[in-house]
Amino acid sequence: MNNKKMQVKYRCPSNIALVKYWGKKEGGVQLPANASISWSLSDLFAETTMIASTEAGSKLTFTFKGESKPSFEPKILAFLERISEYSEFVKTHNFIIDTVNNFPHGTGIASSAAGFGALAMCIADLEGKYENDSVEFLERASFFARLGSGSACRSVYGKPSVWGEHPEIDNSSDLHAVPFEKGIHQSLSNWKDCVLIVDDGEKKVSSTAGHALLQNHPYATARFKNAQQNIVKITNYFQSGDVANFIALVESEALQLHSMMMSSIPYFTLIRPNTLAILEEIWSFREETHLPLAFTLDAGANVHLLYDKQYEIEVSNFINNKLLVYCKNGTYLCSNIGGTPHKIA
Ligand code: DP6
């Protein structure tokens, strides 16, 4: 074994699911109970520098923005351990990792998706098994990212990403995400996402714990079936440009996700009164203006306001006039949709 040190840096966007992953298959590692589909958020990203070496030392030295973060280490070590099973390179190297997000940590934005996505890209690159613009490379990075956090596997593609086996999605897999290749109607191809920060505190129930509650959930089977059907519908809307049905489906998915939380045993809620206040404002605004905008939620209280970019001014006025009052410290973060991870020189 040579004692070379190798270094690489990647930027990887976060993503927001439109049809949600909520529940894992039993008997595997991070296998989704249903297929999900997401948009990546090019302007909310993590940048990770990784140095791999075979020199003796600890398996992992981790810093966040140059500062040591011992609380992050167990999760990353567990991630490396999981990957070791599939990668001789990871098994035989030690890693020095520094990562930084361009959005504040603890805003409830899926920082793990961007973070594990960036880590996975670095590993797949340093491992050197495939050319880094090949399909195999992206699938391998997505596979690795999944082992860190399921939703992270959807962050490696600029196109909408589907993760989870589905009879109508070519090459779909539980092991890694695939890009949705069928083309998007122009009425759904230029949207934005503004994340309205309702709560920036630690979540009461982690996503991982929430997923586990699907195992004995009274509505799990129906939910998984409905999500599979919703994948068919949303991909049809993508192609036909049926914005009204797209909006209805995306909002229904968000509310289904949270109703699954509320009907878990034990039950819990992550939405807050201000979350609901924002949803009601969005419904009223849409009724008045007929503008194409929708909300979605991830596993937290914050609201993702999705809208067609051509109405940027109207939506920005709406946020400032009506929604800011419900946001913690008036904070919201906006991003374009799309964006692939890329290597930084
Ligand atoms: C509600 O990917 O965070 O955001 O796989 O246990 O790390 P683990 O969970 P995670 O779950 C995300 C759930 C979600 C929906 C989604 O992104 O599809």
Side-chain angles (χ1 to χ4, degrees):
M1 189 186 301
N2 58 7
N3 262 341
K4 250 189 356 200
K5 265 193 182 174
M6 300 183 287
Q7 176 167 345
V8 77
K9 182 173 184 178
Y10 267 87
R11 173 186 290 186
C12 182
S14 183
N15 73 76
I16 180 69
L18 302 170
V19 172
K20 309 291 179 179
Y21 148 56
W22 198 241
K24 303 182 192 191
K25 285 188 177 131
E26 280 176 70
V29 182
Q30 302 277 81
L31 304 177
N34 59 263
S36 56
I37 188 165
S38 62
W39 271 342
S40 64
L41 303 174
S42 59
D43 304 307
L44 299 171
F45 55 79
E47 282 185 358
T48 298
T49 307
M50 178 178 279
I51 300 170
S53 88
T54 50
E55 282 168 15
S58 55
K59 184 76 187 166
L60 173 69
T61 309
F62 177 77
T63 51
F64 183 78
K65 274 194 195 166
E67 283 176 26
S68 114
K69 273 269 182 209
S71 62
F72 284 29
E73 281 182 20
K75 230 182 157 183
I76 298 173
L77 272 171
F79 168 65
L80 294 174
E81 180 73 32
R82 271 186 186 169
I83 297 186
S84 294
E85 231 184 275
Y86 307 94
S87 168
E88 194 56 27
F89 167 78
V90 173
K91 199 187 263 176
T92 53
H93 283 72
N94 293 331
F95 296 93
I96 301 172
I97 297 169
D98 181 66
T99 198
V100 48
N101 298 334
N102 77 328
F103 49 88
H105 176 66
T107 44
I109 295 191
S111 54
S112 62
F116 281 114
L119 277 175
M121 294 300 294
C122 289
I123 292 172
D125 185 296
L126 291 178
E127 186 187 52
K129 218 172 150 82
Y130 301 109
E131 288 297 323
N132 69 2
D133 53 2
S134 64
V135 172
E136 292 83 357
F137 174 81
L138 292 173
E139 286 185 356
R140 189 148 176 92
S142 176
F143 175 95
F144 288 155
R146 178 193 113 241
L147 295 173
S149 177
S151 55
C153 78
R154 298 184 310 237
S155 269
V156 313
Y157 304 106
K159 291 180 181 170
S161 295
V162 182
W163 172 40
E165 276 174 25
H166 194 291
E168 297 198 23
I169 303 287
D170 294 345
N171 305 319
S172 59
S173 168
D174 285 346
L175 303 179
H176 58 78
V178 293
F180 177 68
E181 298 282 12
K182 286 203 172 133
I184 309 283
H185 191 274
Q186 52 145 15
S187 59
L188 283 166
S189 60
N190 201 20
W191 280 46
K192 267 190 98 151
D193 181 6
C194 284
V195 194
L196 305 151
I197 309 299
V198 169
D199 191 352
D200 59 1
E202 195 66 31
K203 282 189 276 193
K204 281 181 294 191
V205 178
S206 71
S207 289
T208 305
H211 284 289
L213 293 174
L214 272 277
Q215 234 121 77
N216 293 311
H217 196 293
Y219 308 134
T221 310
R223 160 64 199 156
F224 301 148
K225 190 171 167 212
N226 189 240
Q228 292 294 85
Q229 291 163 346
N230 282 345
I231 291 283
V232 178
K233 288 185 180 167
I234 201 165
T235 51
N236 286 339
Y237 303 151
F238 270 151
Q239 291 169 87
S240 65
D242 185 341
V243 176
N245 274 320
F246 170 83
I247 290 171
L249 187 143
V250 166
E251 294 190 347
S252 153
E253 271 289 322
L255 294 177
Q256 268 197 45
L257 167 70
H258 283 264
S259 25
M260 294 307 283
M261 296 175 193
M262 291 184 214
S263 48
S264 292
I265 304 166
Y267 49 80
F268 63 103
T269 55
L270 294 180
I271 51 171
R272 308 289 308 139
N274 280 353
T275 312
L276 277 179
I278 291 174
L279 304 196
E280 285 179 2
E281 292 285 1
I282 292 172
W283 287 327
S284 307
F285 181 73
R286 197 169 57 223
E287 208 169 297
E288 272 163 37
T289 62
H290 301 286
L291 290 179
L293 78 173
F295 69 80
T296 188
L297 306 163
D298 59 15
N302 300 332
V303 180
H304 288 247
L305 178 58
L306 306 169
Y307 60 92
D308 189 330
K309 214 161 134 180
Q310 63 176 302
Y311 301 106
E312 178 119 52
I313 296 173
E314 292 88 335
V315 173
S316 159
N317 289 337
F318 168 54
I319 293 174
N320 285 309
N321 297 336
K322 297 278 185 176
L323 305 183
L324 226 51
V325 59
Y326 304 113
C327 297
K328 184 119 190 238
N329 305 319
T331 309
Y332 67 100
L333 302 162
C334 296
S335 175
N336 288 291
I337 303 295
T340 42
H342 59 269
K343 197 167 175 167
I344 297 172

